Amino acid sequence: MRLLKCPKCGEMFSDTYKTCPFCQEDEERHSSKPVKSAGHRTGGGRAKPKVGGGVVIVCLVLVLGLAAYTIFGNQITAFFTGEKDAPTPEPAVLTMNKTSVELTVGSSFALTVSGADKVAFSSSDEAVATVSANGTVQAVSTGSAVITASAADTTATCRVAVTAAVDQPTDPVTPDVPSDLVIYSAYGKNVVTDVTIKAGEEALMEVQGTDSTVTWSIADSSIATVDSSGMVKGVASGETTLTATVDGQTLTCIVRVNVKVN
């Protein structure tokens, strides 16, 4: 066997071929009819590798599918599983019980906020008014300040105006006056509004409900007399009034004197 050189394409081929197999292959690629040749091909070929059209289509489908899932993945999943996207929560709206309030120095006011569970309070000028964590505003000095309640991205405000405190006139102090003062008999230890004794007899009277000194007097000393200790003595038959003055009050008691029978 020997090698021959094709005068047309310049390729070397075996003499077992009747014609140049390289030229024959080129003719087959450009013609719809295959060209038969005897023998077999030796040496290097110039055939170009072919890429299958099916592989290209599969790759394109995969790329497009991946892109679609990236963009519409949530909707696709929800369609097949029946799940729905969670609704977007509405933003919280804060409402204060007051949008403005007037205070005097030293006074306070409680602010309440609805629309959120946790609220943070702050004051624009703590030299004028401070606010506690629970919303209690304390007036410090004259001026104005803005109290802000914040929750997430929502706020509510209240303007506080602080004025000087006005001195109020002091009411005169009225001493406590006992209301349960009564005259009673020291001997019988019973409360009396009138007492009956005989001429020449004595009866000690006291005022119940106070430890203060009592001033005693009697309207008609010709019927009965009384000393500073409250001792009443019958003088003559008749009726008169015994008076006790103590702690700003005046108490009275009727004294009846009967003639003593020997």
Side-chain angles (χ1 to χ4, degrees):
M1 181 186 70
R2 60 192 181 89
L3 295 177
L4 302 176
K5 183 176 182 180
C6 177
K8 184 177 180 180
C9 65
E11 293 285 350
M12 302 297 292
F13 62 92
S14 173
D15 59 358
T16 58
Y17 289 94
K18 294 181 179 180
T19 60
C20 175
F22 300 106
C23 293
Q24 181 180 348
E25 185 176 344
D26 290 339
E27 290 177 3
E28 288 179 356
R29 282 200 301 268
H30 294 86
S31 174
S32 59
K33 295 181 180 181
V35 179
K36 295 181 179 180
S37 64
H40 55 274
R41 179 175 180 173
T42 62
R46 295 188 302 168
K48 298 180 180 179
K50 297 181 180 179
V51 179
V55 175
V56 175
I57 294 174
V58 171
C59 292
L60 289 175
V61 170
L62 290 176
V63 171
L64 292 175
L66 181 60
Y69 187 80
T70 302
I71 299 173
F72 305 105
N74 293 336
Q75 291 85 341
I76 294 173
T77 302
F79 176 79
F80 286 104
T81 61
E83 296 179 355
K84 295 182 179 180
D85 293 338
T88 303
E90 294 292 333
V93 177
L94 298 184
T95 304
M96 273 193 185
N97 60 331
K98 288 285 187 179
T99 56
S100 63
V101 63
E102 293 184 2
L103 300 175
T104 57
V105 174
S107 62
S108 61
F109 182 80
L111 288 174
T112 58
V113 179
S114 59
D117 295 331
K118 293 184 178 180
V119 178
F121 290 94
S122 62
S123 172
S124 64
D125 191 346
E126 293 190 346
V128 174
T130 60
V131 60
S132 65
N134 62 1
T136 300
V137 179
Q138 182 69 43
V140 179
S141 62
T142 57
S144 62
V146 176
I147 304 300
T148 302
S150 304
D153 296 331
T154 307
T155 60
T157 59
C158 174
R159 181 171 294 277
V160 178
V162 181
T163 57
V166 178
D167 294 334
Q168 298 295 330
T170 304
D171 294 333
V173 178
T174 302
D176 293 334
V177 178
S179 59
D180 56 351
L181 298 183
V182 291
I183 296 176
Y184 77 104
S185 170
Y187 295 138
K189 298 296 181 182
N190 60 310
V191 177
V192 293
T193 56
D194 63 82
V195 61
T196 301
I197 59 176
K198 294 179 180 180
E201 290 184 345
E202 295 180 337
L204 181 62
M205 310 302 292
E206 295 180 353
V207 174
Q208 185 181 39
T210 181
D211 293 328
S212 301
T213 301
V214 180
T215 300
W216 297 95
S217 63
I218 201 159
D220 190 347
S221 59
S222 65
I223 296 175
T225 60
V226 62
D227 61 15
S228 60
S229 65
M231 182 68 75
V232 177
K233 183 177 181 179
V235 176
S237 178
E239 182 178 299
T240 186
T241 301
L242 175 68
T243 301
T245 304
V246 61
D247 294 337
Q249 294 190 65
T250 300
L251 308 174
T252 60
C253 174
I254 301 299
V255 177
R256 295 184 179 90
V257 179
N258 295 329
V259 176
K260 183 177 181 181
V261 179
N262 294 327

